[in-house]
Coordinates of all heavy atoms in Angstrom, one line a residue:
M1 N -2.4 -1.2 30.8 CA -2.6 -1.8 29.5 C -4.1 -2.3 29.4 O -4.7 -2.6 30.4 CB -1.7 -3.1 29.3 CG -0.2 -2.8 29.3 SD 0.3 -2.0 27.8 CE 0.5 -3.4 26.7
V2 N -4.5 -2.3 28.1 CA -5.9 -2.7 27.8 C -5.9 -3.8 26.8 O -5.0 -3.8 25.8 CB -6.7 -1.5 27.2 CG1 -8.0 -1.9 26.6 CG2 -6.9 -0.4 28.3
K3 N -6.7 -4.8 27.0 CA -6.9 -5.9 26.0 C -8.2 -5.6 25.3 O -9.2 -5.2 25.9 CB -7.0 -7.3 26.6 CG -5.7 -7.8 27.2 CD -5.1 -8.8 26.2 CE -4.0 -9.5 27.0 NZ -3.0 -10.1 26.1
H4 N -8.2 -5.7 24.0 CA -9.4 -5.6 23.1 C -9.5 -6.9 22.4 O -8.6 -7.2 21.6 CB -9.1 -4.4 22.2 CG -10.2 -4.2 21.1 ND1 -11.5 -3.9 21.5 CD2 -10.1 -4.2 19.8 CE1 -12.2 -3.7 20.3 NE2 -11.4 -3.9 19.3
I5 N -10.6 -7.6 22.7 CA -10.8 -8.9 22.0 C -12.1 -8.8 21.2 O -13.1 -8.3 21.7 CB -10.9 -10.0 23.1 CG1 -9.6 -10.1 23.9 CG2 -11.3 -11.3 22.5 CD1 -9.7 -11.0 25.1
V6 N -12.0 -9.3 20.0 CA -13.2 -9.3 19.1 C -13.3 -10.7 18.4 O -12.3 -11.3 18.0 CB -13.1 -8.2 18.0 CG1 -14.4 -8.1 17.2 CG2 -12.8 -6.9 18.6
L7 N -14.5 -11.2 18.4 CA -14.8 -12.4 17.7 C -15.8 -12.2 16.6 O -16.8 -11.4 16.8 CB -15.4 -13.4 18.7 CG -14.5 -13.7 20.0 CD1 -15.4 -14.5 21.0 CD2 -13.2 -14.4 19.6
W8 N -15.6 -12.9 15.5 CA -16.5 -12.7 14.3 C -16.9 -14.0 13.7 O -16.1 -15.0 13.8 CB -15.8 -11.9 13.2 CG -15.4 -10.6 13.5 CD1 -16.1 -9.4 13.4 CD2 -14.0 -10.1 13.8 NE1 -15.3 -8.3 13.7 CE2 -14.1 -8.7 13.9 CE3 -12.8 -10.8 14.0 CZ2 -12.9 -8.0 14.2 CZ3 -11.7 -10.1 14.3 CH2 -11.8 -8.7 14.4
N9 N -18.0 -14.1 13.1 CA -18.4 -15.2 12.2 C -18.5 -14.6 10.8 O -18.9 -13.4 10.7 CB -19.8 -15.8 12.6 CG -19.6 -16.8 13.7 OD1 -18.7 -17.6 13.7 ND2 -20.6 -16.9 14.6
L10 N -18.0 -15.3 9.9 CA -18.0 -14.9 8.5 C -19.2 -15.4 7.7 O -19.8 -16.4 8.1 CB -16.7 -15.4 7.8 CG -15.4 -15.0 8.5 CD1 -14.2 -15.7 8.0 CD2 -15.2 -13.5 8.4
T11 N -19.5 -14.6 6.6 CA -20.7 -14.9 5.9 C -20.6 -15.9 4.8 O -21.5 -16.8 4.6 CB -21.3 -13.6 5.3 OG1 -20.3 -13.0 4.5 CG2 -21.8 -12.6 6.4
D12 N -19.6 -15.9 4.0 CA -19.5 -16.6 2.8 C -18.7 -17.9 3.0 O -17.5 -17.9 3.1 CB -18.8 -15.8 1.7 CG -18.7 -16.4 0.3 OD1 -19.1 -17.6 0.2 OD2 -18.3 -15.8 -0.6
P13 N -19.4 -19.1 3.1 CA -18.7 -20.3 3.4 C -17.6 -20.7 2.4 O -16.5 -21.2 2.8 CB -19.8 -21.4 3.3 CG -21.1 -20.6 3.5 CD -20.8 -19.2 3.0
A14 N -17.8 -20.3 1.1 CA -16.8 -20.6 0.1 C -15.5 -19.8 0.2 O -14.5 -20.2 -0.3 CB -17.4 -20.4 -1.3
H15 N -15.5 -18.7 0.9 CA -14.4 -17.8 1.0 C -13.9 -17.5 2.4 O -13.3 -16.5 2.7 CB -14.7 -16.5 0.3 CG -14.9 -16.7 -1.2 ND1 -16.1 -16.7 -1.8 CD2 -14.0 -16.8 -2.2 CE1 -16.0 -16.9 -3.1 NE2 -14.7 -17.0 -3.3
K16 N -14.3 -18.3 3.4 CA -14.0 -18.0 4.8 C -12.5 -18.0 5.0 O -12.0 -17.1 5.7 CB -14.6 -19.1 5.7 CG -16.1 -18.8 6.0 CD -16.6 -19.8 7.0 CE -18.1 -19.4 7.3 NZ -18.6 -20.2 8.4
D17 N -11.8 -18.9 4.5 CA -10.3 -18.9 4.7 C -9.7 -17.7 4.1 O -8.8 -17.0 4.7 CB -9.7 -20.2 4.2 CG -10.0 -21.4 5.0 OD1 -10.4 -21.3 6.2 OD2 -9.9 -22.5 4.5
E18 N -10.1 -17.4 2.9 CA -9.5 -16.2 2.2 C -9.9 -14.9 3.0 O -9.0 -14.0 3.2 CB -10.1 -16.1 0.8 CG -9.7 -14.9 0.0 CD -10.4 -14.8 -1.3 OE1 -10.7 -15.9 -1.9 OE2 -10.6 -13.7 -1.8
N19 N -11.1 -14.7 3.4 CA -11.5 -13.5 4.1 C -10.8 -13.5 5.5 O -10.4 -12.4 5.9 CB -13.0 -13.5 4.2 CG -13.7 -13.2 2.9 OD1 -13.1 -12.6 2.0 ND2 -14.9 -13.6 2.8
A20 N -10.7 -14.6 6.2 CA -10.0 -14.6 7.4 C -8.5 -14.2 7.3 O -8.0 -13.4 8.1 CB -10.1 -16.0 8.1
A21 N -7.9 -14.7 6.2 CA -6.5 -14.3 5.9 C -6.4 -12.8 5.7 O -5.4 -12.2 6.1 CB -6.0 -15.1 4.8
Q22 N -7.3 -12.2 4.9 CA -7.3 -10.8 4.7 C -7.5 -10.0 5.9 O -6.9 -9.0 6.1 CB -8.3 -10.4 3.6 CG -7.9 -10.9 2.2 CD -8.9 -10.3 1.2 OE1 -9.2 -9.1 1.2 NE2 -9.4 -11.2 0.3
M23 N -8.4 -10.5 6.8 CA -8.7 -9.8 8.1 C -7.4 -9.8 8.9 O -7.0 -8.8 9.5 CB -9.8 -10.5 8.8 CG -11.2 -10.2 8.2 SD -12.5 -11.2 9.0 CE -12.5 -10.5 10.6
K24 N -6.7 -10.9 8.9 CA -5.5 -11.1 9.7 C -4.4 -10.1 9.2 O -3.8 -9.3 10.0 CB -4.9 -12.5 9.6 CG -3.6 -12.7 10.3 CD -3.2 -14.2 10.2 CE -1.8 -14.4 10.8 NZ -1.8 -14.3 12.3
E25 N -4.2 -10.0 7.9 CA -3.2 -9.1 7.3 C -3.6 -7.7 7.6 O -2.7 -6.9 8.0 CB -3.2 -9.4 5.8 CG -2.2 -8.5 5.1 CD -2.1 -8.7 3.6 OE1 -2.6 -9.7 3.1 OE2 -1.6 -7.8 2.9
K26 N -4.8 -7.3 7.4 CA -5.2 -5.9 7.6 C -5.1 -5.5 9.1 O -4.6 -4.4 9.4 CB -6.6 -5.7 7.0 CG -6.7 -5.8 5.5 CD -8.1 -5.7 5.0 CE -8.2 -5.9 3.6 NZ -7.6 -4.9 2.8
L27 N -5.7 -6.3 10.0 CA -5.7 -6.0 11.4 C -4.3 -5.9 12.0 O -4.0 -5.0 12.8 CB -6.7 -6.9 12.1 CG -8.2 -6.7 11.8 CD1 -9.0 -7.9 12.3 CD2 -8.6 -5.4 12.5
E28 N -3.5 -7.0 11.8 CA -2.2 -7.0 12.3 C -1.3 -5.9 11.7 O -0.4 -5.4 12.4 CB -1.6 -8.4 12.1 CG -2.2 -9.5 12.9 CD -1.6 -10.8 12.8 OE1 -0.7 -11.0 11.9 OE2 -2.1 -11.8 13.5
G29 N -1.7 -5.5 10.5 CA -0.9 -4.4 9.9 C -1.2 -3.0 10.5 O -0.4 -2.0 10.2
L30 N -2.1 -2.9 11.4 CA -2.4 -1.6 12.1 C -1.3 -1.3 13.2 O -1.2 -0.2 13.6 CB -3.8 -1.6 12.7 CG -4.9 -1.6 11.7 CD1 -6.3 -1.8 12.4 CD2 -4.9 -0.4 10.8
V31 N -0.6 -2.4 13.6 CA 0.4 -2.2 14.7 C 1.5 -1.3 14.0 O 2.0 -1.6 12.9 CB 1.0 -3.5 15.2 CG1 2.2 -3.3 16.1 CG2 -0.1 -4.4 15.8
G32 N 1.9 -0.3 14.7 CA 2.9 0.7 14.1 C 2.3 1.8 13.3 O 3.0 2.7 13.0
V33 N 1.0 1.7 13.0 CA 0.3 2.7 12.3 C -0.6 3.5 13.3 O -0.7 4.7 13.2 CB -0.6 2.1 11.2 CG1 -1.5 3.1 10.5 CG2 0.3 1.4 10.1
V34 N -1.3 2.7 14.1 CA -2.2 3.4 15.1 C -1.5 3.6 16.4 O -1.0 2.6 17.0 CB -3.5 2.5 15.4 CG1 -4.4 3.1 16.4 CG2 -4.2 2.2 14.1
P35 N -1.3 4.9 16.8 CA -0.6 5.1 18.1 C -1.3 4.4 19.3 O -2.5 4.4 19.4 CB -0.8 6.7 18.3 CG -1.1 7.2 16.9 CD -1.9 6.1 16.2
G36 N -0.4 3.8 20.1 CA -0.9 3.1 21.3 C -1.3 1.7 21.1 O -1.6 0.9 22.0
L37 N -1.4 1.2 19.8 CA -1.7 -0.2 19.5 C -0.3 -1.0 19.6 O 0.5 -0.9 18.8 CB -2.3 -0.4 18.2 CG -2.6 -1.8 17.7 CD1 -3.6 -2.5 18.7 CD2 -3.2 -1.8 16.3
V38 N -0.2 -1.7 20.7 CA 1.1 -2.4 21.0 C 1.2 -3.7 20.2 O 2.2 -4.1 19.7 CB 1.2 -2.7 22.5 CG1 2.4 -3.5 22.9 CG2 1.1 -1.4 23.3
S39 N 0.1 -4.5 20.2 CA 0.1 -5.8 19.4 C -1.3 -6.1 19.0 O -2.3 -5.7 19.5 CB 0.7 -6.9 20.3 OG -0.3 -7.2 21.4
A40 N -1.3 -7.0 17.9 CA -2.6 -7.5 17.4 C -2.3 -8.9 16.9 O -1.4 -9.0 16.0 CB -3.2 -6.6 16.3
Q41 N -3.1 -9.8 17.3 CA -3.0 -11.2 16.9 C -4.3 -11.6 16.4 O -5.3 -11.5 17.1 CB -2.5 -12.1 18.0 CG -1.1 -11.9 18.4 CD -0.7 -12.8 19.6 OE1 -1.4 -12.8 20.6 NE2 0.4 -13.5 19.4
V42 N -4.4 -12.1 15.2 CA -5.6 -12.6 14.6 C -5.5 -14.1 14.2 O -4.5 -14.5 13.7 CB -6.0 -11.8 13.3 CG1 -7.3 -12.4 12.7 CG2 -6.2 -10.3 13.6
G43 N -6.4 -14.9 14.6 CA -6.4 -16.3 14.4 C -7.7 -16.8 13.9 O -8.8 -16.3 14.1
R44 N -7.6 -17.9 13.1 CA -8.8 -18.6 12.6 C -9.4 -19.5 13.6 O -8.7 -20.4 14.2 CB -8.4 -19.4 11.3 CG -9.5 -20.1 10.6 CD -10.3 -19.0 9.8 NE -11.0 -19.7 8.7 CZ -12.2 -20.2 8.9 NH1 -12.8 -20.1 10.1 NH2 -12.9 -20.8 7.9
G45 N -10.6 -19.3 14.0 CA -11.3 -20.1 15.0 C -11.6 -21.5 14.5 O -11.9 -21.7 13.3
F46 N -11.6 -22.5 15.4 CA -12.0 -23.9 15.0 C -13.1 -24.3 15.9 O -13.7 -25.4 15.7 CB -10.8 -24.9 15.1 CG -10.2 -24.9 16.5 CD1 -10.7 -25.8 17.5 CD2 -9.0 -24.1 16.8 CE1 -10.1 -25.8 18.7 CE2 -8.4 -24.2 18.0 CZ -8.9 -25.0 19.0
A47 N -13.6 -23.5 16.8 CA -14.8 -23.8 17.7 C -15.4 -22.5 18.1 O -14.6 -21.6 18.5 CB -14.4 -24.7 18.9
G48 N -16.6 -22.3 17.9 CA -17.3 -21.1 18.4 C -17.4 -20.1 17.3 O -18.4 -20.0 16.5
F49 N -16.4 -19.3 17.1 CA -16.4 -18.2 16.1 C -15.3 -18.5 15.0 O -14.4 -19.2 15.3 CB -16.1 -16.8 16.8 CG -17.3 -16.3 17.5 CD1 -17.5 -16.7 18.8 CD2 -18.1 -15.4 16.9 CE1 -18.6 -16.2 19.5 CE2 -19.2 -14.9 17.6 CZ -19.5 -15.3 18.9
D50 N -15.5 -17.8 13.9 CA -14.6 -18.1 12.7 C -13.2 -17.4 12.9 O -12.2 -17.9 12.4 CB -15.3 -17.6 11.4 CG -16.5 -18.4 11.1 OD1 -16.5 -19.7 11.3 OD2 -17.4 -17.9 10.5
V51 N -13.2 -16.2 13.4 CA -12.0 -15.4 13.5 C -12.0 -14.7 14.9 O -13.0 -14.2 15.4 CB -12.0 -14.3 12.4 CG1 -10.7 -13.5 12.5 CG2 -12.1 -14.9 11.0
A52 N -10.8 -14.6 15.5 CA -10.6 -13.9 16.7 C -9.4 -12.9 16.6 O -8.4 -13.2 16.0 CB -10.3 -14.9 17.8
L53 N -9.6 -11.7 17.2 CA -8.6 -10.7 17.4 C -8.3 -10.5 18.9 O -9.2 -10.3 19.7 CB -9.0 -9.4 16.8 CG -8.3 -8.1 17.2 CD1 -6.9 -8.1 16.6 CD2 -9.0 -6.9 16.8
V54 N -7.0 -10.6 19.2 CA -6.6 -10.2 20.6 C -5.6 -9.1 20.4 O -4.5 -9.4 19.8 CB -6.0 -11.4 21.3 CG1 -5.5 -11.0 22.7 CG2 -7.0 -12.6 21.4
S55 N -5.9 -8.0 20.9 CA -5.0 -6.8 20.8 C -4.7 -6.2 22.1 O -5.5 -6.3 23.0 CB -5.5 -5.8 19.8 OG -6.8 -5.4 20.2
E56 N -3.5 -5.6 22.2 CA -3.1 -4.8 23.4 C -2.9 -3.4 23.0 O -2.2 -3.1 22.0 CB -1.9 -5.4 24.0 CG -2.0 -6.8 24.6 CD -0.8 -7.3 25.2 OE1 0.2 -6.6 25.3 OE2 -0.8 -8.5 25.6
L57 N -3.4 -2.5 23.9 CA -3.2 -1.1 23.7 C -2.7 -0.5 25.0 O -2.9 -1.1 26.1 CB -4.5 -0.4 23.3 CG -5.1 -0.9 22.0 CD1 -6.3 -1.8 22.2 CD2 -5.4 0.2 21.1
T58 N -2.0 0.6 24.9 CA -1.4 1.2 26.1 C -2.3 1.6 27.2 O -2.0 1.4 28.4 CB -0.5 2.4 25.8 OG1 -1.3 3.3 25.1 CG2 0.7 2.0 24.9
D59 N -3.5 2.1 26.9 CA -4.5 2.5 27.9 C -5.9 2.7 27.2 O -6.0 2.5 26.0 CB -4.0 3.7 28.6 CG -3.7 4.9 27.7 OD1 -4.2 5.0 26.6 OD2 -2.8 5.7 28.0
R60 N -6.8 3.1 28.0 CA -8.2 3.4 27.4 C -8.2 4.5 26.4 O -9.0 4.5 25.5 CB -9.2 3.6 28.6 CG -9.4 2.4 29.4 CD -10.4 2.7 30.5 NE -10.6 1.6 31.4 CZ -11.6 1.5 32.3 NH1 -12.5 2.4 32.4 NH2 -11.7 0.4 33.0
D61 N -7.4 5.5 26.6 CA -7.3 6.6 25.6 C -6.8 6.1 24.3 O -7.3 6.5 23.2 CB -6.4 7.7 26.1 CG -7.0 8.5 27.3 OD1 -8.2 8.5 27.5 OD2 -6.2 9.1 28.1
A62 N -5.8 5.2 24.3 CA -5.3 4.6 23.1 C -6.4 3.8 22.4 O -6.5 3.8 21.2 CB -4.1 3.7 23.3
L63 N -7.3 3.1 23.2 CA -8.4 2.3 22.6 C -9.3 3.3 21.9 O -9.8 3.0 20.8 CB -9.1 1.5 23.7 CG -10.3 0.7 23.2 CD1 -9.9 -0.3 22.2 CD2 -11.0 0.0 24.4
A64 N -9.6 4.4 22.5 CA -10.5 5.4 21.9 C -9.9 5.9 20.5 O -10.6 6.0 19.5 CB -10.8 6.5 22.8
V65 N -8.6 6.2 20.5 CA -7.9 6.6 19.3 C -8.0 5.5 18.3 O -8.3 5.8 17.1 CB -6.4 7.0 19.6 CG1 -5.6 7.2 18.4 CG2 -6.4 8.3 20.5
Y66 N -7.7 4.3 18.6 CA -7.8 3.1 17.7 C -9.1 3.0 17.1 O -9.2 2.8 15.9 CB -7.5 1.9 18.5 CG -7.7 0.6 17.8 CD1 -6.8 0.1 16.9 CD2 -8.8 -0.2 18.1 CE1 -7.1 -1.1 16.2 CE2 -9.1 -1.4 17.5 CZ -8.2 -1.9 16.5 OH -8.4 -3.1 15.9
Q67 N -10.2 3.1 17.9 CA -11.6 3.0 17.3 C -11.9 3.9 16.2 O -12.5 3.6 15.3 CB -12.6 3.1 18.5 CG -12.5 2.0 19.5 CD -12.9 0.6 19.0 OE1 -13.3 0.5 17.8 NE2 -12.7 -0.4 19.8
D68 N -11.4 5.2 16.3 CA -11.7 6.2 15.3 C -10.6 6.5 14.4 O -10.7 7.4 13.5 CB -12.1 7.5 16.1 CG -13.3 7.4 16.9 OD1 -14.2 6.6 16.4 OD2 -13.5 8.0 17.9
H69 N -9.4 5.8 14.5 CA -8.3 6.1 13.6 C -8.7 5.8 12.1 O -9.3 4.7 11.8 CB -7.1 5.2 14.0 CG -5.8 5.6 13.4 ND1 -5.5 5.3 12.1 CD2 -4.8 6.4 13.8 CE1 -4.3 5.8 11.8 NE2 -3.9 6.5 12.8
P70 N -8.3 6.6 11.2 CA -8.7 6.4 9.8 C -8.2 5.1 9.2 O -9.0 4.4 8.4 CB -8.0 7.6 9.0 CG -7.8 8.6 10.1 CD -7.6 7.9 11.4
A71 N -7.0 4.6 9.6 CA -6.6 3.3 9.1 C -7.5 2.2 9.6 O -7.8 1.2 8.9 CB -5.1 3.1 9.5
H72 N -7.9 2.3 10.9 CA -8.8 1.2 11.5 C -10.1 1.3 10.8 O -10.8 0.3 10.5 CB -8.9 1.4 13.0 CG -9.8 0.4 13.6 ND1 -10.9 0.8 14.3 CD2 -9.7 -0.9 13.7 CE1 -11.5 -0.3 14.8 NE2 -10.8 -1.4 14.4
M73 N -10.6 2.5 10.5 CA -11.9 2.7 9.9 C -11.9 2.0 8.5 O -12.9 1.4 8.1 CB -12.3 4.2 9.8 CG -12.4 4.9 11.1 SD -13.7 4.1 12.2 CE -15.2 4.6 11.4
E74 N -10.8 2.1 7.8 CA -10.7 1.5 6.5 C -10.7 0.0 6.6 O -11.4 -0.7 5.8 CB -9.4 1.9 5.9 CG -9.2 2.2 4.4 CD -10.5 2.6 3.7 OE1 -11.1 3.7 3.9 OE2 -10.8 1.9 2.7
V75 N -10.1 -0.6 7.6 CA -10.1 -2.0 7.8 C -11.5 -2.5 8.2 O -12.0 -3.5 7.7 CB -9.1 -2.4 8.9 CG1 -9.2 -3.9 9.3 CG2 -7.7 -2.2 8.5
K76 N -12.2 -1.7 9.0 CA -13.5 -2.0 9.4 C -14.5 -2.1 8.3 O -15.4 -3.0 8.3 CB -14.1 -1.0 10.4 CG -13.5 -1.2 11.8 CD -14.0 -0.1 12.8 CE -15.4 -0.1 13.1 NZ -15.8 0.9 14.2
K77 N -14.3 -1.3 7.2 CA -15.1 -1.4 6.1 C -15.1 -2.8 5.5 O -16.1 -3.4 5.1 CB -14.7 -0.4 5.0 CG -15.1 1.0 5.3 CD -14.7 2.0 4.2 CE -14.8 3.4 4.6 NZ -14.3 4.3 3.6
F78 N -13.8 -3.3 5.3 CA -13.7 -4.7 4.8 C -14.3 -5.7 5.7 O -15.1 -6.5 5.3 CB -12.2 -5.0 4.5 CG -12.0 -6.4 4.1 CD1 -12.4 -6.9 2.9 CD2 -11.6 -7.4 5.1 CE1 -12.3 -8.3 2.6 CE2 -11.4 -8.7 4.8 CZ -11.8 -9.1 3.5
V79 N -13.9 -5.6 7.0 CA -14.4 -6.6 8.0 C -15.9 -6.7 8.0 O -16.5 -7.8 7.9 CB -13.8 -6.3 9.4 CG1 -14.5 -7.1 10.4 CG2 -12.3 -6.5 9.4
H80 N -16.6 -5.5 8.0 CA -18.0 -5.5 8.1 C -18.7 -6.0 6.8 O -19.8 -6.4 6.8 CB -18.5 -4.1 8.5 CG -18.3 -3.9 9.9 ND1 -19.3 -4.2 10.9 CD2 -17.3 -3.4 10.6 CE1 -18.8 -3.9 12.1 NE2 -17.6 -3.4 12.0
S81 N -17.9 -6.0 5.7 CA -18.4 -6.5 4.4 C -18.4 -8.1 4.4 O -19.1 -8.7 3.5 CB -17.7 -6.0 3.2 OG -16.4 -6.6 3.1
V82 N -17.7 -8.7 5.3 CA -17.5 -10.2 5.2 C -18.0 -10.9 6.5 O -17.9 -12.2 6.5 CB -16.1 -10.6 4.9 CG1 -15.6 -10.1 3.6 CG2 -15.1 -10.2 6.0
I83 N -18.6 -10.2 7.4 CA -19.0 -10.8 8.7 C -20.5 -10.9 8.8 O -21.2 -10.1 8.2 CB -18.4 -10.2 9.9 CG1 -18.9 -8.7 10.1 CG2 -16.9 -10.2 9.9 CD1 -18.7 -8.1 11.4
S84 N -21.0 -11.8 9.6 CA -22.4 -11.9 10.0 C -22.7 -11.6 11.4 O -23.8 -11.3 11.8 CB -22.9 -13.3 9.6 OG -22.3 -14.3 10.4
E85 N -21.6 -11.7 12.2 CA -21.8 -11.6 13.7 C -20.5 -11.1 14.3 O -19.4 -11.5 13.8 CB -22.2 -12.9 14.3 CG -22.5 -12.9 15.7 CD -22.9 -14.3 16.2 OE1 -22.9 -15.3 15.5 OE2 -23.4 -14.3 17.4
R86 N -20.6 -10.3 15.4 CA -19.4 -9.7 16.1 C -19.7 -9.6 17.5 O -20.8 -9.1 17.9 CB -19.1 -8.4 15.5 CG -18.0 -7.6 16.2 CD -17.9 -6.2 15.7 NE -16.8 -5.5 16.3 CZ -16.8 -4.9 17.5 NH1 -17.9 -5.0 18.3 NH2 -15.8 -4.3 18.0
V87 N -18.8 -10.0 18.4 CA -18.8 -9.7 19.8 C -17.5 -9.2 20.2 O -16.5 -9.5 19.6 CB -19.3 -10.9 20.7 CG1 -20.7 -11.4 20.3 CG2 -18.3 -12.1 20.5
S88 N -17.5 -8.4 21.3 CA -16.2 -7.9 21.7 C -16.2 -7.7 23.3 O -17.2 -7.7 23.9 CB -15.9 -6.5 21.1 OG -16.7 -5.5 21.5
C89 N -14.9 -7.6 23.8 CA -14.7 -7.4 25.2 C -13.4 -6.6 25.4 O -12.4 -6.9 24.7 CB -14.6 -8.7 25.9 SG -14.4 -8.5 27.7
D90 N -13.5 -5.5 26.2 CA -12.3 -4.7 26.5 C -12.1 -4.7 28.0 O -13.1 -4.6 28.7 CB -12.6 -3.2 26.0 CG -12.9 -3.1 24.6 OD1 -12.2 -3.8 23.8 OD2 -13.8 -2.3 24.2
F91 N -10.8 -4.9 28.4 CA -10.6 -4.9 29.8 C -9.2 -4.4 30.1 O -8.3 -4.5 29.3 CB -10.8 -6.3 30.4 CG -10.0 -7.4 29.9 CD1 -8.8 -7.8 30.4 CD2 -10.5 -8.1 28.8 CE1 -8.0 -8.8 29.9 CE2 -9.7 -9.1 28.2 CZ -8.5 -9.5 28.8
D92 N -9.0 -3.9 31.3 CA -7.7 -3.5 31.8 C -7.0 -4.7 32.4 O -7.6 -5.6 32.9 CB -7.8 -2.4 32.9 CG -8.5 -1.1 32.5 OD1 -8.0 -0.6 31.5 OD2 -9.5 -0.7 33.1
F93 N -5.6 -4.7 32.3 CA -4.8 -5.7 32.9 C -3.5 -5.2 33.4 O -3.1 -4.1 33.0 CB -4.6 -6.9 32.0 CG -3.7 -6.7 30.8 CD1 -2.4 -7.2 30.9 CD2 -4.1 -6.1 29.7 CE1 -1.5 -7.0 29.8 CE2 -3.3 -5.9 28.6 CZ -2.0 -6.3 28.7

């Protein structure tokens, strides 16, 4: 199994809660759509970063499929339109 963790800061202070909620809906909605994506949990940060994604994939090959999957690419368009900063970490467990 692989964990894929991403942290973001959002750009628009007036719409942070709304944009975080949309990110949550879109990212968690990829489970069952992207092969090998076992789970995705998105939460609103209260210290450090504004939004966090913790996802599990079956293996590194599934992570590669996830990264380029058309549904994920569509979600990324929205995410990148509302963020100012992004960090990530991928690891086996």
Side-chain angles (χ1 to χ4, degrees):
M1 294 288 276
V2 168
K3 288 260 191 200
H4 173 63
I5 299 172
V6 186
L7 306 171
W8 298 276
N9 277 323
L10 301 170
T11 55
D12 185 355
H15 295 99
K16 281 188 176 184
D17 289 337
E18 176 186 330
N19 288 335
Q22 287 186 50
M23 289 172 67
K24 178 179 178 66
E25 180 181 342
K26 292 173 184 292
L27 288 162
E28 290 180 357
L30 294 173
V31 176
V33 174
V34 177
L37 179 61
V38 176
S39 69
Q41 295 177 304
V42 177
R44 184 76 161 86
F46 58 86
F49 285 83
D50 294 323
V51 180
L53 162 69
V54 178
S55 56
E56 292 182 5
L57 298 105
T58 54
D59 54 31
R60 291 182 185 193
D61 290 337
L63 178 60
V65 168
Y66 169 78
Q67 294 295 354
D68 294 329
H69 192 278
H72 181 240
M73 298 302 287
E74 221 21 67
V75 172
K76 282 175 69 171
K77 285 181 191 177
F78 172 74
V79 170
H80 285 269
S81 75
V82 299
I83 65 162
S84 61
E85 185 177 8
R86 175 192 182 277
V87 296
S88 67
C89 181
D90 302 318
F91 59 93
D92 296 308
F93 72 99

